[in-house]
Amino acid sequence: MSETALFAREFLRSPLRTASLVPSSARLVERLVAAVPERGEPVVAELGPGTGPATEAIQRRLAGRGRHIAVELNERLATHLVQRFPRAEIVTASAWDLPGILADRGVTQRTWW
């Protein structure tokens, strides 16, 4: 099944857990990833990665540096992401839980950018 079909199926199955009918466009992903620092060991928190178009680009930009914590509310999409992106920390939770998720992982406000 294609990434777009998976995303659309999950939206139709549970629109409140999958907030869009289609994944992020390449143009949007390019703009999002531009915020990821090119140097250092950044902590990148991604909210609602869906099937992972931005996740893939973030992983490429980090190239093994820093940490990438992706928070996905939809359990099926989160399972898909875990299989697809083993270097990312995939968390099945709501974006509302982000402060606790970061705290549980030792990410303090001083490390945010």
Side-chain angles (χ1 to χ4, degrees):
M1 174 181 305
S2 76
E3 301 282 315
T4 302
L6 172 62
F7 199 91
R9 184 189 75 193
E10 288 306 312
F11 174 79
L12 293 172
R13 183 176 280 164
S14 182
L16 296 178
R17 290 198 170 283
T18 309
S20 176
L21 182 57
V22 295
S24 299
S25 69
R27 189 173 186 191
L28 174 60
V29 168
E30 182 181 311
R31 294 190 73 186
L32 290 170
V33 173
V36 176
E38 294 179 347
R39 295 178 192 70
E41 297 292 323
V43 174
V44 178
E46 179 186 9
L47 303 176
T51 55
T55 310
E56 182 175 11
I58 291 167
Q59 288 289 290
R60 208 172 29 249
R61 177 93 169 207
L62 287 174
R65 302 174 298 114
R67 291 176 73 182
H68 179 188
I69 302 166
V71 181
E72 174 55 56
L73 184 60
N74 182 300
E75 297 87 2
R76 287 181 184 90
L77 294 179
T79 298
H80 174 76
L81 293 166
V82 166
Q83 295 168 358
R84 193 166 169 217
F85 303 104
R87 294 189 56 94
E89 298 173 49
I90 310 299
V91 181
T92 306
S94 168
W96 288 104
D97 301 326
L98 184 61
I101 291 165
L102 295 175
D104 289 348
R105 285 161 177 72
V107 179
T108 64
Q109 192 167 10
R110 284 178 272 146
T111 60
W112 295 4
W113 49 270

